[in-house]
Amino acid sequence: MVAILTGIFGIEHLNLAEDVVQEALSRALQTWPYRGVPDNPSAWIMRASRNLALDVIRRQKTFRAKEAEIARLIERDGSASEGAIFSEYEIADDRLRMMFVCCHPVILPEAQVALALKTLCGFSVTEISRAFLTTEAAIAKRLTRAKQKIQEARVPFEIPAGEELARRLDSVLQSLYLLFNEGYKASSGDQLVREELCKEAIRLTELLAQHPAGSQPKTHALLALMLLNTARLPARQDHQGNLLRLEEQNRTRWDHAMIQRGLSHLRESASGDSMSEYHLQAGIAACHATAKDYQATDWSRILSLYDRLMEIDDLPVVALNRAVAVANVHGPNAGLDAVRAIRDSRKLNSYYLLYAVIGEFELRLNHRQPAVEQFRKAFEMAETKSERAFLLKRLQECQEIPRTV
């Protein structure tokens, strides 16, 4: 609805579109508990947003010149059956337009993704700040400045073409990638996995891949990565919601049809002559998804892909994941050396997985007290209930009967 109303009001009225939809959602929260959830909730929200939008344009002088046109656009199909206000094509097209508006070059790169996550995907400032490993205040400033830039530059509400498309596509893909990551491993809350976010990221990426403007090799590579990882979601937790490590998962519960879809898009991504970080990450995911069991995992291949990924994207989190592959190929001591060698490792100081990974390496070396210290740090920093339960279990295992190397 934000995308649709922005297309009608004009991108300069993005804040107004957000306010209207927010009010519609607020009314739903107020009325549904008493009157019951409607048969078609999304259509109810659309209709409420439309009616609120009509009230706004009739009150504000800003829209006097365009009032008739805007009213016609909003009111069309108003008498039709519930849910027929806008066609699926219109909704899809407006969402794509919004993706590319958020990633216009007049907006600073670090603000582009934040704006897309907030406007298009409904992320809170808190969720975005955790995705970027920065403060809420910093994200709030980015969002404010980005919206100001859109107004000042009169950014058109359109899907670009040619070189302009290529420049903006990277930011669009990064936004979708971060959306998926927040679903695959939530930054906070009781649930480790927010499957609805993973599915939304897949749906938006499929939308992009099906459009001539977005059907690029790296788009298919990102879609492959999402599908291959989502296929493993049913086995990531036990029936009590506790986190299961890869070696503990029941692979018969993986969605093998989704794995095949992922592999199909991975093959399609090979049509170009460029290699993106999404190609390499999808390749890593494919190694895990196609191994018949944990022991059959091709860790040497995975390490090779991480080495190539580091050449493109040497972020500390990527280096930490590579350290896990190093330990599986060369042993836990080599894994610890790889952790110590991470550039800008201070950026991981508040990242609980840094300490969880070191704890695993120390435990494999039978260094029980150092492992306890690392797992305790990780436990104190973890924010989801499932992760905290998992780390508490690892702490308890460190204090049991000493194990042999």
Side-chain angles (χ1 to χ4, degrees), residues 352 356 375 378-379 382 387-396:
Y352 87 95
F375 283 129
F379 176 80
E387 289 166 337
R388 289 173 67 83
F390 168 78
L391 291 165
L392 182 59
K393 179 182 176 183
R394 299 304 281 159
L395 267 170
Q396 293 168 343

Side-chain angles (χ1 to χ4, degrees), residues 98-156:
M98 182 62 80
M99 284 190 214
F100 285 99
V101 166
C102 292
C103 299
H104 193 280
V106 298
I107 304 169
L108 292 175
E110 62 268 22
Q112 291 175 359
V113 179
L115 183 62
L117 293 177
K118 174 68 170 65
T119 305
L120 187 68
C121 307
F123 271 40
S124 69
V125 171
T126 300
E127 288 172 318
I128 299 170
S129 68
R130 285 175 177 151
F132 281 99
L133 301 178
T134 189
T135 65
E136 292 182 33
I139 293 299
K141 286 182 181 178
R142 289 183 194 179
L143 292 170
T144 299
R145 289 170 182 165
K147 291 178 181 179
Q148 288 174 345
K149 284 288 186 182
I150 286 174
Q151 290 182 335
E152 292 168 1
R154 298 184 180 274
V155 173

Side-chain angles (χ1 to χ4, degrees), residues 177 181 281 284 288 299 302-303 306 309-310 315-328 338-339 342 348 351 353-354 357 361:
Y177 175 68
N181 281 351
Q281 289 191 53
I284 292 167
H288 290 302
W299 284 105
I302 290 173
L303 178 56
Y306 268 120
L309 182 58
M310 288 289 291
L315 290 173
V317 172
V318 175
L320 182 63
N321 290 333
R322 176 185 175 276
V324 175
V326 169
N328 277 283
V339 171
I342 295 175
L348 297 176
Y351 188 47
L353 280 177
L354 169 66
V357 167
F361 295 164

Side-chain angles (χ1 to χ4, degrees), residues 191-332:
Q191 294 182 316
L192 173 69
V193 175
R194 297 174 62 183
E195 192 170 351
E196 76 282 3
L197 290 185
C198 292
K199 289 181 177 179
E200 176 69 357
I202 289 172
R203 194 172 73 82
L204 289 172
T205 309
E206 285 181 327
L207 191 67
L208 189 62
Q210 291 163 6
H211 194 283
S215 184
Q216 306 288 335
K218 54 190 169 185
T219 306
H220 290 284
L222 177 58
L223 184 53
L225 171 62
M226 292 177 177
L227 291 166
L228 291 168
N229 282 337
T230 302
R232 306 204 307 265
L233 286 183
R236 282 191 73 203
Q237 297 171 282
D238 63 19
H239 295 299
Q240 286 74 45
N242 297 315
L243 176 64
L244 295 175
R245 291 177 295 169
L246 194 57
E247 58 264 42
E248 299 169 331
Q249 295 177 15
N250 178 359
R251 299 187 178 217
T252 63
R253 297 187 62 206
W254 290 0
D255 187 335
H256 295 280
M258 188 174 286
I259 289 173
Q260 291 307 312
R261 283 173 59 199
L263 294 175
S264 174
H265 281 284
L266 185 57
R267 287 191 291 271
E268 194 161 355
S269 74
S271 60
D273 55 3
S274 62
M275 179 74 70
S276 70
E277 62 268 33
Y278 305 122
H279 286 85
L280 296 168
Q281 289 191 53
I284 292 167
C287 288
H288 290 302
T290 56
K292 65 178 183 179
D293 53 41
Y294 186 77
Q295 290 70 30
T297 305
D298 190 347
W299 284 105
S300 294
R301 170 70 175 159
I302 290 173
L303 178 56
S304 173
L305 290 168
Y306 268 120
D307 287 340
R308 296 179 67 185
L309 182 58
M310 288 289 291
E311 295 173 5
I312 298 175
D313 188 2
D314 64 344
L315 290 173
V317 172
V318 175
L320 182 63
N321 290 333
R322 176 185 175 276
V324 175
V326 169
N328 277 283
V329 175
H330 300 297

